[in-house]
Amino acid sequence: MDTLVSVRNLSLTYPNGYRALKDVSFDVQAGEFLVVIGLSGSGKSTLMRTINRLLEPTDGQVMVGGQDVTHVAGEALRHHRRSIGMIFQQFNLIKRHSVLHNVLYGALGEMPAWQSMAGRFSKEQVDEAMRCLEVVGIADRCHHRADALSGGQQQRVAIARALMQRPKILLADEPVASLDPATSHSVMRYLEVLNKEYGTTVICNLHFLSLVRQYASRVVALKGGAKVFEGMPEEITEEWFRAIYGDEAVEVEIR
Amino acid sequence: MSTPRQRLFSAIGGVAIDALAGAYAGLILVRVVVPSVLYGAEGTGPLSVEECIAMALGTAGCVLLGLFGAGIGRSLLERPQRSGWQAVVTANIGWFVFALTVVAGWVYARIDPSALFSAQGLQGAGRIFSALLSPEFDIIGEALRAMVETIYLAFMATFIAVPFSFAISFFCARNLMNDAPHRRAIYVFLRFLTNFSRSIEPLIWAIVFSVWVGIGPFAGMLALVVHTIASLTKQYAEQIEDVDHGPMEAIAATGARRSQVIWFSVVPQCVIPFLSFTIYRWDINVRMATIIGLVGGGGIGNMLIQYQGLARWNEVGMIVIIIAIVVWIMDVVSARVREALK
């Protein structure tokens, strides 16, 4: 398999002096479903944002598809972000706009600013957006306002928006943390579809170990900004669990 | 817990406040309080030798008190626990300075309750109020036309100012401008410019523009435009600073340009509040336009000042009633519309 993402000795210190990432290294193979686990504040979200370069690392290196993207800027940075889809815990849709438009915004990076701001999306783009909505099974809601949808449906719209970018990689930052258990599985299954059927490499932050065991092909655990575990989901034993989450932690299952 | 550096600044600040308070108390005592008690008139003209001596004595006295631990400076900055005579002095020295200020204010404002209740005064007041309460209906057509002029003037001022405010506000929003030094510089410069122009009253702008383009509604409108741009820019920018950061991040993650990120994630979150601010600003502008008319800004204010100059109080009464009704209607309507927009 090809190494798609390679993170080398990555560190990130915020301007206020907080060290969010400390010397983290790991590789992601093309087609993997890599899950990153760890407590809140362990640096999972920061790690995601250094991969699609919403954040710039203070030290180390991020390679994607063999290219060093650690410090790319301007046009190259936008090109890099375009190749990576991202979904968020809070969905981050444009609430007042229609579902269809929210998906079309996945294409913003590939069109001139004036054309997008005039709302002139092409017929092909609209067709593409509808196809993306069909993949996540909510094409029939395309003319509803985004905030009229339930949480699970909004996350599926967000997946469709990411799909619109035809991404090599999908970053999912706590995609189900705001959802109830049943909805969580439906969202996770769409991520699985993207991974298995479309060959998209998925890097996903998760809280629940039961979900990790079910969906992850490999696991990286962070604690206090440093990598403490890397391996297969079934290797996370009771001891590892305590090492990652602390002695007080009790595993909660989500079925 | 404080560092030695902080303690040093605090001590210097305390002495400075003591010195200023002492100089102030000395000056007010000798220039205002003593003469108005002795001769019924406050001191005038430049500082006299006696006043300078009083200021110096006051300064020295307060600084000395401060050194013994009983000045107001340190009690304001540090709030230390004290006992004995220092506590008494500290507790009362502030009240003493405050009382001096009240006395000086009374003298300078030439407050004279007897004038308010003199027979002659009451007669004049009765004349004016009865005239105001029996408005002259013959001028109602003319007054309504002037009122309409004022409303349109306020509308145009708002209408012209909005695009400017909209464009500038994005450069005045800290959350959009703090990611590079040159952006921060633009932010600081524009913030200064809008704050400065907002601190100049529209009344003064009206005087400036009535000289520039001649007396009339156009001058009034220009004055309101300047003030509206400054005010709306501030309100818009604060709204932009309040937007949810998540959608911005999501749009940026698609590889969109900066302009697209702002247009597709910031603007949708702001349109409704912007609309609400704008309607309220029109409402405020109608009120301001009447006042601006008084100094040559056209409309109903202009008409009001003319009849006032002729002492035709019945006509003035008519105009005041029309202004009051229109302002009240605008107030209710704009509140309703803003409520509906929520």
Side-chain angles (χ1 to χ4, degrees):
Chain A
M1 274 203 282
D2 306 329
T3 300
L4 185 56
V5 180
S6 177
V7 173
R8 288 276 149 267
N9 306 104
L10 199 69
S11 295
L12 192 146
T13 306
Y14 283 108
N16 64 10
Y18 181 72
R19 294 180 64 200
L21 290 177
K22 299 168 190 163
D23 200 25
V24 175
S25 299
F26 62 89
D27 288 335
V28 187
Q29 310 302 320
E32 267 195 293
F33 196 121
L34 179 81
V35 170
V36 182
I37 58 172
L39 290 169
S40 304
S42 61
K44 305 191 297 292
S45 295
T46 305
L47 178 64
M48 293 245 135
R49 285 161 176 74
T50 55
I51 293 174
N52 70 347
R53 281 296 320 288
L54 285 172
L55 292 173
E56 189 166 355
T58 29
D59 220 341
Q61 208 181 22
V62 180
M63 307 274 289
V64 175
Q67 284 188 319
D68 186 349
V69 295
T70 323
H71 301 291
V72 288
E75 204 60 23
L77 173 60
R78 295 203 307 105
H79 190 267
H80 170 60
R81 285 179 182 167
R82 223 163 73 195
S83 68
I84 300 179
M86 185 166 187
I87 62 172
F88 304 83
Q89 179 179 347
Q90 298 302 332
F91 326 132
N92 290 345
L93 300 179
I94 312 306
K95 292 196 176 78
R96 310 183 55 82
H97 289 188
S98 74
V99 166
L100 178 62
H101 271 99
N102 268 286
V103 178
L104 283 167
Y105 297 159
L108 287 178
E110 63 184 44
M111 49 197 305
W114 65 268
Q115 197 184 343
S116 65
M117 284 156 84
R120 291 171 62 172
F121 295 95
S122 68
K123 178 82 174 61
E124 290 74 37
Q125 286 173 320
V126 174
D127 290 346
E128 174 79 22
M130 287 307 293
R131 271 197 298 279
C132 294
L133 279 171
E134 274 159 26
V135 171
V136 294
I138 38 175
D140 56 323
R141 312 293 304 265
C142 66
H143 294 300
H144 285 70
R145 255 175 69 151
D147 57 1
L149 271 56
S150 71
Q153 290 173 326
Q154 290 194 37
Q155 193 61 296
R156 280 147 69 189
V157 176
I159 294 173
R161 173 172 67 187
L163 204 53
M164 188 74 188
Q165 293 171 239
R166 288 182 226 99
K168 290 183 292 188
I169 303 165
L170 180 73
L171 302 175
D173 187 16
E174 303 281 2
V176 297
S178 310
L179 302 173
D180 59 62
T183 322
S184 294
H185 275 294
S186 106
V187 166
M188 288 306 295
R189 271 196 286 272
Y190 284 111
L191 294 185
E192 201 174 30
V193 166
L194 255 61
N195 178 243
K196 296 242 161 73
E197 290 177 23
Y198 291 75
T200 314
T201 306
V202 177
I203 303 176
C204 179
N205 290 343
L206 280 181
H207 264 315
F208 289 104
L209 275 183
S210 52
L211 288 178
V212 176
R213 295 204 179 94
Q214 192 168 347
Y215 295 99
S217 64
R218 215 156 52 87
V219 179
V220 164
L222 296 181
K223 188 178 184 184
K227 188 179 82 174
V228 291
F229 175 87
E230 183 173 0
M232 296 296 143
E234 52 275 14
E235 290 175 51
I236 306 174
T237 56
E238 186 74 3
E239 285 86 325
W240 273 116
F241 180 77
R242 288 190 195 287
I244 297 163
Y245 288 97
D247 285 337
E248 297 297 305
V250 176
E251 189 180 339
V252 187
E253 262 199 43
I254 172 170
R255 289 176 189 279
Chain B
M1 296 302 108
S2 55
T3 64
R5 189 185 161 84
Q6 282 170 326
R7 276 200 295 277
L8 177 68
F9 278 124
S10 181
I12 293 174
V15 172
I17 291 173
D18 286 339
L20 280 174
Y24 172 76
L27 180 65
I28 296 296
L29 259 178
V30 173
R31 189 179 177 92
V32 186
V33 178
V34 173
S36 60
V37 170
L38 292 184
Y39 330 111
E42 78 273 20
T44 51
L47 291 179
S48 67
V49 181
E50 294 87 342
E51 285 162 1
C52 289
I53 295 172
M55 284 171 74
L57 283 177
T59 305
C62 271
V63 170
L64 266 178
L65 276 176
L67 292 181
F68 282 110
I72 34 175
R74 243 179 270 182
S75 70
L76 281 177
L77 292 176
E78 291 173 18
R79 302 192 172 282
Q81 297 293 321
R82 289 203 186 82
S83 56
W85 67 270
Q86 283 111 329
V88 179
V89 174
T90 314
N92 292 300
I93 193 167
W95 287 114
F96 176 66
V97 173
F98 181 70
L100 280 180
T101 306
V102 172
V103 173
W106 184 279
V107 172
Y108 276 122
R110 304 208 190 341
I111 292 174
D112 183 7
S114 66
L116 199 53
F117 299 107
S118 72
Q120 200 195 351
L122 287 174
Q123 204 188 347
R127 226 176 29 244
I128 264 225
F129 277 115
S130 62
L132 287 176
L133 292 174
S134 54
E136 176 55 65
F137 283 95
D138 283 355
I139 62 152
I140 196 165
E142 191 191 348
L144 280 177
R145 223 203 53 233
M147 191 71 236
V148 167
E149 188 177 295
T150 295
I151 295 173
Y152 275 97
L153 184 161
F155 172 77
M156 278 315 284
T158 318
F159 176 73
I160 292 172
V162 163
F164 289 97
S165 300
F166 184 81
I168 301 169
S169 63
F170 292 94
F171 296 95
C172 285
R174 197 196 318 249
N175 56 339
L176 302 182
M177 299 298 285
N178 66 358
D179 54 351
H182 71 278
R183 293 213 177 92
R184 259 194 298 276
I186 294 171
Y187 163 82
V188 169
F189 173 72
L190 284 176
R191 265 282 155 117
F192 169 78
L193 208 65
T194 51
N195 282 341
F196 183 73
S197 53
R198 205 175 48 249
S199 66
I200 299 174
E201 283 295 314
L203 208 60
I204 294 164
W205 284 118
I207 293 169
V208 170
F209 283 116
S210 63
V211 174
W212 191 338
V213 300
I215 285 175
F218 185 46
M221 194 209 74
L222 287 173
L224 284 180
V225 166
V226 172
H227 188 73
T228 304
I229 289 176
S231 305
L232 274 185
T233 301
K234 181 183 160 71
Q235 280 182 300
Y236 286 0
E238 279 170 1
Q239 186 61 41
I240 293 169
E241 286 173 359
D242 256 9
V243 298
D244 180 6
H245 183 249
M248 288 174 69
E249 208 177 22
I251 298 292
T254 67
R257 288 173 187 79
R258 195 183 169 77
S259 58
Q260 291 173 315
V261 172
I262 290 170
W263 184 258
F264 288 102
S265 69
V266 179
V267 173
Q269 293 187 60
C270 290
V271 274
I272 296 298
F274 279 17
L275 208 56
S276 176
F277 292 144
T278 308
I279 290 168
Y280 187 46
R281 187 48 57 177
W282 179 28
D283 179 13
I284 292 173
N285 278 348
V286 170
R287 278 178 249 186
M288 279 194 175
T290 58
I291 302 298
I292 277 173
L294 299 178
V295 296
I300 191 111
N302 211 12
M303 193 174 166
L304 178 69
I305 201 80
Q306 279 168 16
Y307 280 110
Q308 184 266 335
L310 298 170
R312 289 172 58 180
W313 303 112
N314 303 82
E315 281 82 351
V316 170
M318 187 70 245
I319 294 169
V320 169
I321 288 170
I322 287 176
I323 293 174
I325 291 174
V326 169
V327 167
W328 175 70
I329 291 173
M330 292 282 303
D331 200 48
V332 171
V333 170
S334 95
R336 283 282 171 82
V337 172
R338 281 179 286 131
E339 191 58 37
L341 282 176
K342 270 181 189 164

